[in-house]
Structures are given as structure tokens and as C-alpha cells.
Amino acid sequence: VRAAVYFGLSSLFARQVSADPVRLIALDGEIHQPDRAAVVERRQTTNVTIPAPVVVATSQYWEGNDGPWCDPPALQRLNVANQSRSSFAFQIGTPAQNVRLFPATAATDTWAVLSQGCPDGSPAKCQALRGSFFNSNQSLTWVPNSIFGTSLEVNLGMEINGQFGFDTLTLGWQGDNGPTLEHSIVAGIAADTYWLGVFGLNPRPTNFTTFNNPQVCYMQQLKNTNKIPSVSWSYTAGAPYRFSKVFGSLVLGGYDTSRFANTNVSFPFYEDIQRDLLVTIQSISTTSTSDGSAVSLLAAPMTAFIDSTVPYIWLPLNACQKFENAFGLVWNDTKKLYLVNDTLHSTLLARNASVTFTLGTKSTGGPTVDIVLPYGAFDLIAQYPLVANDTRYFPLKRAANDTQYTLGRTFLQEAYLIADYERLNFT
């Protein structure tokens, strides 16, 4: 498949970037080329080297205990293919240690799992299941800082502690020739709240003790050292249920035109910098099993935060109850999950209904974009420690309040997200 990767969305790169307004993207499996507009520019008197965007290599693994990656016996037992998330390859330390991480749109730092993350009683191959370990005491370039809270997903009750420090960080596997930066912020984590570590995409600086000594994040380091053209990025989570499995895509400083269809919606960053990727969900709908008519799954428009750090979709209780009625879901209050038994799974597969999220910049009217999720996007498997045995589930969560309304990685299987931190908008 031909793919064209375009430079970051800074005004410096008018000749490489579509001149149309930035737009929210719906995936449709087709290759699209943005419209171009003629640009007249003054000839420069000095040569300026503009770096190319960086395409981060996928790990070629489908994994996560909420997707999840399953070993062959588990897949055979559940009679499923790879229902999981596409991770990405990174190297930390000197000598380099390979780890696999999920891109985290809300995070600013890189987290990797420590060996303490697989204590006695953990499942076999725990290290591999958690994306491999980072051992700071085996890195010659590790500079320890201290233990801090991650200050992430506090509203969802998912904040954890990390052993923070600085080390050399490289994008991709050894031999991929990805960019390497020294003294990057790295946190070692052990808690199983996040089964794999994360690579933070948000370019905000990190403050450890005071606001007077901000530490530059990896994205800003890349821009400062002229390794990417801007601190924009683009990401989609991948869709293992499509074709022969479509891996995720992560581009730093640009976007991949083969991954999206153009739309006409641009979203300004929300004023709260910790919830910058905020959208208005005007409606959520599916089709009736009786006559094929549209069935509303949302009582009223609402705002939600797009966040790839977490896998689920958090909606108000009344919306979750509409999903329950439409799909026969039953909430398990012990596991806090919508578990799906074999009978319901067969019914939902045969029905093959889709769910349409209509997004806009305001509650009614204006330009909108439809992001359509087939049932395959919701047909996931929970593993240890979420459940004792591998169990299918529907990745919907009951939100306790409006600060928890979130569109996680499940949503980003069918949406291509571009964030421009120089123009402060996203698509």
C-alpha cells in the first residue's frame, strides 16, 4: 500500500501540508491525498534543513490484558483471533533494553514495567506479557530521581507511583535507526493498573518538586534537537479484526495520509491542559434488530476526553443502560466490567451491529464527523489480573461523574487522531 507521511502542522511546512483546515479523521481503509493550495514564498537566503517526521515502528505484537494478547492455547480455548492492541517498540538505557509500550496521549513521560511488576504468583511468561522489563540497575546511563505519583488518570482512580529518573531512550528496535535522546524522563512502574508501560505524547514539561525547574519531555526534546519538524503527532490504535490485522500507526511531527479520509471538523484544545483533547459527542446510535431503524444510545449531548492511555469508553450511567438494553449486556459489579458469555457472544456476532459516535465542536449543529465502530471493536478479552480466567467483555465503563467521560483506545481503533500543539487544535 502506498503511504505518504507529511510534515508536522507548523506554518513552516506549508508546501508539505494540506492548506485546508485541520480535520477530524474517520478511517475507511482507503488512501486519500489532502487537497493542495498554491503557496508563494520568498526565496530563502540561507539553507534550512527541515527534518522529516518520525514513524515509530510497531512491535508487531498484539497485547494487553484488556484487549488482549493471548498465547495460542488461550486463543484456541476462546476460539478467537488476535483481539488486542498494537504496541510499539522502544529501547531504554545503556546497553539498550528492549521494551514494548502503548502510546499515551495524556501522558508526558515514558513508563516501563519493572521486575517487581511480576511478583510470586504471577502468570507464566509475565515479563513477556507486560512488554518486558526495564532494569535500571543494569543501565550505565540511569540517573535516579525519586518515587513520585504519576499524576495521570486521577479522575478515573488510576493514579500509580513510579520510580522516576533519567536515561537514554530510543524509538524502535535495534537496527531501526530510530532517534536516540539522552537524559529523557523514564519511570519504572510495578502496579498492574497499567499492564504495559506507556510512551507519553503530550509535550508539556514535567515538574517533579516545584514549578521552577520544569524537565523537558521526549517530544519537546525531539523538536529541540531538530529530529522532528514540530511537536504534532498522529495515532491510531490498530484493528486486529480488520483484513489480516491492521497494526497501529504512530507518527511524530506529521501524519500518514494513507490512514484516513478527510472530514471538515477541527477541534480547539480545551483550556484545561490535562484534558486538552476534549470533544462533544452529539449522539451515539446503533440500529434496531426489528426494523433497522436508528436507536439512540445517548440521552443528551456530552463532552468526553480522548485518551489512548486507557482502553475503555466511560459514559454516563443512563447511556450505559441504553447499551445494556440494545445489546443484552449485564454489568458485573464485582469485576466492574460488562462480561460477555458464549451465548451472548454468538448473538452479537450474528447481529454484527455497529455503533456510531457523532462528534462536533458544540452540542448541536455545526460540522460533525461520524466514527463508526463495528462489533469487532468491542469484542475484547479480559485476562489476569482483571479476571481469574480469560473472559470476553464489552469495553464500556459506568462513569461516576462528568470528569470520567472518556473515549479510550477502543475508540481509536476506528479513528485517526492528529494533535497540533503549535496551533493548539486537533483533528
Side-chain angles (χ1 to χ4, degrees), residues 54-117:
V54 172
V55 180
V56 184
T58 63
S59 67
Q60 306 293 306
Y61 283 78
W62 294 96
E63 50 197 339
N65 68 336
D66 46 43
W69 176 85
C70 296
D71 57 10
L75 291 174
Q76 295 168 8
R77 183 168 62 254
L78 287 171
N79 190 30
V80 297
N82 295 291
Q83 297 297 322
S84 52
R85 307 298 193 276
S86 177
S87 61
F88 291 79
F90 297 85
Q91 303 167 57
I92 304 176
T94 306
Q97 301 174 40
N98 292 327
V99 295
R100 303 185 303 278
L101 309 174
F102 286 144
T105 57
T108 61
D109 312 315
T110 299
W111 310 348
V113 177
L114 302 173
S115 59
Q116 295 91 320

Coordinates of all heavy atoms in Angstrom, one line a residue, residues 54-117:
V54 N 9.0 11.4 12.2 CA 9.5 10.1 12.6 C 8.3 9.1 12.7 O 7.3 9.3 13.4 CB 10.2 10.2 14.0 CG1 10.5 8.8 14.5 CG2 11.4 11.0 13.8
V55 N 8.4 8.0 11.9 CA 7.4 6.9 12.0 C 7.9 5.9 13.0 O 8.9 5.3 12.8 CB 7.2 6.3 10.6 CG1 6.1 5.2 10.7 CG2 6.7 7.3 9.6
V56 N 7.2 5.8 14.1 CA 7.6 4.9 15.2 C 7.2 3.4 14.8 O 6.1 3.2 14.4 CB 7.0 5.2 16.5 CG1 7.5 4.3 17.6 CG2 7.3 6.7 16.9
A57 N 8.2 2.5 14.9 CA 8.0 1.1 14.5 C 7.0 0.4 15.4 O 7.2 0.5 16.7 CB 9.3 0.4 14.4
T58 N 6.0 -0.3 14.9 CA 5.2 -1.1 15.7 C 6.1 -2.3 16.1 O 7.0 -2.7 15.5 CB 4.0 -1.6 15.0 OG1 4.4 -2.4 13.9 CG2 3.1 -0.5 14.5
S59 N 5.7 -2.9 17.3 CA 6.4 -4.0 17.8 C 6.1 -5.3 17.1 O 6.8 -6.3 17.2 CB 6.1 -4.2 19.3 OG 4.8 -4.6 19.5
Q60 N 5.0 -5.3 16.3 CA 4.4 -6.5 15.6 C 3.8 -7.4 16.6 O 3.5 -8.6 16.3 CB 5.5 -7.2 14.8 CG 6.3 -6.4 13.8 CD 5.4 -5.9 12.6 OE1 4.8 -6.7 12.0 NE2 5.4 -4.6 12.4
Y61 N 3.5 -6.9 17.8 CA 2.8 -7.7 18.9 C 1.4 -7.1 19.0 O 1.2 -5.9 18.9 CB 3.6 -7.6 20.2 CG 4.8 -8.5 20.3 CD1 6.0 -8.1 19.8 CD2 4.8 -9.6 21.1 CE1 7.1 -8.8 19.9 CE2 5.9 -10.4 21.2 CZ 7.1 -10.0 20.6 OH 8.2 -10.8 20.8
W62 N 0.5 -8.0 19.3 CA -0.8 -7.6 19.7 C -0.9 -8.0 21.2 O -0.8 -9.2 21.5 CB -1.9 -8.3 18.9 CG -1.9 -7.9 17.5 CD1 -1.3 -8.5 16.4 CD2 -2.6 -6.8 16.9 NE1 -1.6 -7.9 15.3 CE2 -2.3 -6.8 15.5 CE3 -3.4 -5.7 17.5 CZ2 -2.8 -5.8 14.7 CZ3 -3.8 -4.8 16.6 CH2 -3.6 -4.8 15.3
E63 N -1.1 -7.1 22.1 CA -1.0 -7.4 23.5 C -1.8 -6.5 24.4 O -2.5 -5.6 24.0 CB 0.4 -7.5 23.9 CG 1.2 -6.2 23.6 CD 2.7 -6.5 23.7 OE1 3.1 -7.5 24.4 OE2 3.5 -5.8 23.0
G64 N -1.8 -6.8 25.7 CA -2.5 -6.1 26.7 C -3.5 -7.0 27.4 O -4.1 -7.9 26.7
N65 N -3.7 -6.9 28.7 CA -4.6 -7.8 29.4 C -6.1 -7.3 29.3 O -7.0 -7.9 29.8 CB -4.3 -7.9 30.9 CG -4.5 -6.6 31.6 OD1 -4.5 -5.5 31.0 ND2 -4.7 -6.7 32.9
D66 N -6.3 -6.2 28.5 CA -7.7 -5.7 28.4 C -8.1 -5.7 26.9 O -9.0 -5.2 26.5 CB -7.7 -4.2 28.9 CG -6.6 -3.4 28.4 OD1 -6.2 -3.5 27.2 OD2 -6.0 -2.7 29.2
G67 N -7.2 -6.4 26.1 CA -7.5 -6.5 24.7 C -7.9 -7.9 24.2 O -9.0 -8.1 23.7
P68 N -7.1 -8.8 24.5 CA -5.7 -8.8 24.9 C -4.8 -9.6 24.0 O -5.3 -10.2 23.1 CB -5.8 -9.4 26.3 CG -6.8 -10.5 26.1 CD -7.7 -10.1 25.0
W69 N -3.5 -9.6 24.3 CA -2.7 -10.6 23.6 C -2.9 -11.9 24.3 O -2.8 -12.0 25.6 CB -1.2 -10.1 23.7 CG -0.3 -11.1 23.2 CD1 0.1 -11.2 21.9 CD2 0.4 -12.1 23.9 NE1 1.0 -12.2 21.7 CE2 1.2 -12.8 22.9 CE3 0.5 -12.6 25.2 CZ2 2.0 -13.9 23.2 CZ3 1.3 -13.6 25.5 CH2 2.0 -14.3 24.5
C70 N -3.1 -12.9 23.6 CA -3.2 -14.3 24.2 C -2.2 -15.2 23.6 O -1.9 -15.1 22.4 CB -4.6 -14.9 23.9 SG -6.0 -14.0 24.6
D71 N -1.7 -16.2 24.4 CA -0.9 -17.2 23.8 C -1.8 -18.2 23.0 O -3.0 -18.2 23.2 CB -0.1 -17.9 24.9 CG -1.0 -18.6 26.0 OD1 -2.2 -18.6 25.7 OD2 -0.5 -19.0 27.0
P72 N -1.2 -19.0 22.1 CA -2.0 -19.8 21.3 C -3.0 -20.7 22.0 O -4.2 -20.8 21.6 CB -1.0 -20.7 20.5 CG 0.2 -19.8 20.4 CD 0.2 -19.0 21.8
P73 N -2.7 -21.4 23.1 CA -3.7 -22.2 23.8 C -4.9 -21.3 24.2 O -6.1 -21.8 24.1 CB -2.9 -22.7 25.0 CG -1.5 -22.7 24.6 CD -1.4 -21.5 23.8
A74 N -4.7 -20.1 24.7 CA -5.8 -19.3 25.1 C -6.6 -18.9 24.0 O -7.9 -18.9 24.0 CB -5.2 -18.0 25.8
L75 N -6.0 -18.6 22.8 CA -6.8 -18.2 21.6 C -7.6 -19.4 21.2 O -8.8 -19.2 20.8 CB -5.8 -17.8 20.5 CG -5.1 -16.5 20.7 CD1 -4.1 -16.3 19.6 CD2 -6.0 -15.3 20.7
Q76 N -7.1 -20.6 21.2 CA -7.8 -21.8 20.8 C -9.0 -22.0 21.7 O -10.1 -22.4 21.3 CB -6.9 -23.0 20.7 CG -5.8 -22.8 19.6 CD -4.7 -23.9 19.7 OE1 -4.8 -24.8 20.5 NE2 -3.7 -23.7 18.9
R77 N -8.7 -21.8 23.0 CA -9.7 -22.1 24.0 C -10.9 -21.2 23.8 O -12.1 -21.6 24.0 CB -9.1 -21.9 25.4 CG -10.1 -22.3 26.5 CD -9.3 -22.4 27.9 NE -8.7 -21.1 28.3 CZ -7.4 -20.9 28.2 NH1 -6.6 -21.8 27.7 NH2 -6.9 -19.7 28.6
L78 N -10.7 -19.9 23.5 CA -11.7 -18.9 23.3 C -12.2 -18.9 21.8 O -13.1 -18.1 21.5 CB -11.2 -17.6 23.7 CG -11.1 -17.4 25.2 CD1 -10.4 -16.1 25.6 CD2 -12.4 -17.5 25.9
N79 N -11.5 -19.6 20.9 CA -11.9 -19.6 19.5 C -12.0 -18.2 18.9 O -12.9 -17.8 18.3 CB -13.3 -20.3 19.3 CG -13.6 -20.6 17.9 OD1 -12.7 -20.7 17.1 ND2 -14.9 -20.6 17.5
V80 N -10.9 -17.4 19.2 CA -10.8 -16.1 18.7 C -9.5 -15.8 18.0 O -8.5 -16.6 18.2 CB -11.0 -15.0 19.8 CG1 -12.3 -15.2 20.4 CG2 -9.9 -15.2 20.8
A81 N -9.4 -14.8 17.2 CA -8.2 -14.3 16.7 C -7.6 -13.3 17.6 O -7.9 -13.2 18.8 CB -8.4 -13.7 15.3
N82 N -6.6 -12.5 17.1 CA -5.9 -11.5 18.0 C -6.8 -10.3 18.3 O -6.8 -9.4 17.5 CB -4.6 -11.1 17.3 CG -3.7 -12.3 17.1 OD1 -3.1 -12.7 18.1 ND2 -3.5 -12.7 15.9
Q83 N -7.5 -10.4 19.3 CA -8.3 -9.2 19.8 C -7.5 -8.4 20.8 O -7.5 -8.8 22.0 CB -9.7 -9.7 20.3 CG -10.6 -10.4 19.3 CD -11.0 -9.5 18.2 OE1 -11.3 -8.4 18.4 NE2 -11.0 -10.1 17.0
S84 N -6.8 -7.4 20.4 CA -5.8 -6.8 21.2 C -5.4 -5.4 20.7 O -6.0 -4.9 19.8 CB -4.6 -7.7 21.3 OG -4.2 -8.0 20.0
R85 N -4.3 -4.9 21.3 CA -3.8 -3.6 20.9 C -2.5 -3.7 20.4 O -1.7 -4.6 20.8 CB -3.8 -2.6 22.2 CG -5.1 -2.5 22.9 CD -6.2 -1.9 22.1 NE -7.4 -1.5 22.9 CZ -8.3 -2.4 23.3 NH1 -8.3 -3.6 22.9 NH2 -9.3 -2.0 24.0
S86 N -2.1 -2.9 19.4 CA -0.8 -2.9 18.8 C 0.1 -2.1 19.6 O -0.1 -0.9 19.7 CB -1.0 -2.4 17.3 OG 0.3 -2.3 16.7
S87 N 1.2 -2.7 20.1 CA 2.2 -1.9 20.9 C 3.3 -1.5 20.0 O 3.4 -1.8 18.8 CB 2.7 -2.8 22.0 OG 3.4 -4.0 21.4
F88 N 4.2 -0.7 20.5 CA 5.3 -0.1 19.8 C 6.6 -0.3 20.5 O 6.7 -0.5 21.7 CB 5.1 1.4 19.6 CG 3.9 1.8 18.7 CD1 2.6 1.7 19.1 CD2 4.1 2.1 17.4 CE1 1.5 2.0 18.3 CE2 3.1 2.4 16.5 CZ 1.8 2.3 17.0
A89 N 7.7 -0.3 19.7 CA 9.0 -0.8 20.1 C 9.8 0.4 20.6 O 9.9 1.5 20.0 CB 9.7 -1.5 19.0
F90 N 10.5 0.2 21.7 CA 11.4 1.2 22.3 C 12.6 0.6 22.9 O 12.6 -0.6 23.3 CB 10.7 2.1 23.4 CG 9.5 2.8 22.9 CD1 8.3 2.2 22.7 CD2 9.7 4.2 22.5 CE1 7.2 3.0 22.2 CE2 8.6 4.9 22.0 CZ 7.3 4.3 21.8
Q91 N 13.7 1.4 23.1 CA 14.9 0.9 23.8 C 15.2 1.9 24.9 O 15.2 3.1 24.7 CB 16.1 0.8 22.9 CG 15.9 -0.1 21.7 CD 16.9 0.1 20.6 OE1 18.1 0.0 20.9 NE2 16.5 0.5 19.4
I92 N 15.5 1.4 26.1 CA 15.9 2.3 27.2 C 17.2 1.8 27.8 O 17.5 0.7 28.0 CB 14.8 2.2 28.3 CG1 13.4 2.5 27.8 CG2 15.1 3.2 29.5 CD1 12.3 2.4 28.8
G93 N 18.0 2.8 28.1 CA 19.3 2.6 28.9 C 20.5 2.3 28.0 O 20.4 2.2 26.8
T94 N 21.6 2.0 28.7 CA 22.9 1.7 28.1 C 23.5 0.5 28.8 O 23.8 0.7 30.0 CB 23.8 2.9 28.0 OG1 23.2 4.0 27.4 CG2 25.1 2.5 27.3
P95 N 23.7 -0.7 28.3 CA 23.2 -1.1 26.9 C 21.7 -1.1 26.8 O 21.0 -1.1 27.8 CB 23.8 -2.5 26.8 CG 24.0 -3.0 28.2 CD 24.3 -1.8 29.0
A96 N 21.2 -1.0 25.6 CA 19.8 -0.8 25.3 C 19.0 -2.0 25.8 O 19.4 -3.2 25.6 CB 19.6 -0.6 23.8
Q97 N 17.9 -1.8 26.4 CA 16.9 -2.8 26.8 C 15.6 -2.6 26.0 O 15.1 -1.5 26.1 CB 16.6 -2.7 28.4 CG 17.9 -2.9 29.2 CD 17.6 -2.6 30.7 OE1 16.6 -3.1 31.2 NE2 18.5 -1.9 31.4
N98 N 15.2 -3.7 25.3 CA 14.0 -3.6 24.5 C 12.8 -3.7 25.4 O 12.6 -4.6 26.2 CB 14.0 -4.7 23.5 CG 15.1 -4.5 22.4 OD1 15.4 -3.4 22.1 ND2 15.6 -5.6 21.9
V99 N 11.8 -2.8 25.2 CA 10.5 -2.8 25.8 C 9.4 -2.5 24.8 O 9.7 -1.9 23.7 CB 10.4 -1.8 27.0 CG1 11.4 -2.2 28.1 CG2 10.6 -0.4 26.5
R100 N 8.2 -2.9 25.1 CA 7.1 -2.6 24.2 C 6.1 -1.8 25.0 O 5.7 -2.1 26.2 CB 6.4 -3.9 23.7 CG 7.4 -4.8 23.0 CD 6.8 -6.0 22.4 NE 6.1 -6.8 23.4 CZ 6.6 -7.7 24.2 NH1 8.0 -7.9 24.1 NH2 5.9 -8.5 25.0
L101 N 5.6 -0.7 24.4 CA 4.8 0.3 25.2 C 3.6 0.7 24.3 O 3.6 0.5 23.1 CB 5.6 1.6 25.4 CG 7.0 1.4 26.1 CD1 7.7 2.8 26.2 CD2 6.8 0.8 27.5
F102 N 2.6 1.2 25.0 CA 1.4 1.8 24.3 C 1.6 3.3 24.3 O 2.0 3.9 25.3 CB 0.1 1.5 25.1 CG -0.4 0.1 25.0 CD1 -1.0 -0.6 26.0 CD2 -0.3 -0.6 23.8 CE1 -1.4 -1.9 25.9 CE2 -0.7 -1.9 23.7 CZ -1.3 -2.5 24.7
P103 N 1.3 4.0 23.2 CA 1.3 5.4 23.1 C 0.2 6.0 24.1 O -0.9 5.4 24.1 CB 0.9 5.7 21.7 CG 1.3 4.5 20.9 CD 1.0 3.4 21.8
A104 N 0.5 7.0 24.8 CA -0.4 7.6 25.8 C -0.6 9.1 25.5 O 0.3 9.9 25.7 CB 0.1 7.4 27.2
T105 N -1.7 9.4 24.9 CA -2.0 10.8 24.5 C -2.1 11.7 25.7 O -1.8 12.9 25.5 CB -3.3 10.8 23.7 OG1 -4.4 10.3 24.5 CG2 -3.2 10.0 22.4
A106 N -2.4 11.3 26.9 CA -2.5 12.1 28.0 C -1.2 12.2 28.8 O -1.1 13.1 29.7 CB -3.6 11.7 28.9
A107 N -0.3 11.4 28.6 CA 1.0 11.3 29.4 C 2.1 12.2 28.8 O 2.1 12.4 27.6 CB 1.5 9.9 29.5
T108 N 3.0 12.6 29.6 CA 4.2 13.4 29.1 C 5.5 12.6 29.2 O 6.5 13.0 28.6 CB 4.3 14.7 29.9 OG1 4.5 14.3 31.3 CG2 3.0 15.5 29.8
D109 N 5.5 11.5 30.0 CA 6.7 10.7 30.3 C 6.6 9.3 29.7 O 5.6 8.9 29.2 CB 6.9 10.6 31.8 CG 6.7 12.0 32.5 OD1 7.3 13.0 32.0 OD2 6.1 12.0 33.5
T110 N 7.7 8.6 29.8 CA 7.8 7.2 29.4 C 7.8 6.4 30.6 O 8.6 6.6 31.6 CB 9.0 7.0 28.6 OG1 9.0 7.8 27.4 CG2 9.1 5.5 28.2
W111 N 6.9 5.3 30.7 CA 6.9 4.4 31.8 C 7.2 3.0 31.3 O 6.7 2.6 30.2 CB 5.5 4.3 32.4 CG 4.8 5.6 32.8 CD1 5.3 6.8 32.9 CD2 3.4 5.7 33.2 NE1 4.4 7.7 33.3 CE2 3.2 7.1 33.5 CE3 2.4 4.8 33.3 CZ2 2.0 7.6 33.9 CZ3 1.1 5.3 33.7 CH2 0.9 6.7 34.0
A112 N 8.0 2.3 32.0 CA 8.3 0.9 31.7 C 8.2 0.0 32.9 O 8.4 0.5 34.0 CB 9.7 0.8 31.1
V113 N 7.8 -1.2 32.7 CA 7.5 -2.1 33.8 C 8.8 -2.6 34.4 O 9.7 -3.0 33.7 CB 6.6 -3.3 33.3 CG1 6.4 -4.3 34.5 CG2 5.3 -2.8 32.8
L114 N 8.9 -2.6 35.7 CA 10.0 -3.1 36.5 C 9.8 -4.6 36.8 O 8.6 -5.1 36.7 CB 10.2 -2.4 37.8 CG 10.4 -0.9 37.7 CD1 10.3 -0.2 39.1 CD2 11.7 -0.5 37.0
S115 N 10.8 -5.3 37.2 CA 10.7 -6.7 37.5 C 9.7 -6.9 38.7 O 9.1 -8.0 38.8 CB 12.1 -7.3 37.9 OG 12.7 -6.6 38.9
Q116 N 9.6 -5.9 39.6 CA 8.6 -6.0 40.7 C 7.2 -6.1 40.2 O 6.3 -6.4 41.0 CB 8.8 -4.8 41.6 CG 10.1 -4.7 42.4 CD 11.1 -3.9 41.6 OE1 11.2 -4.0 40.4 NE2 11.9 -3.1 42.3
G117 N 7.0 -5.8 38.9 CA 5.6 -5.9 38.4 C 5.2 -7.4 38.2 O 4.0 -7.6 37.8

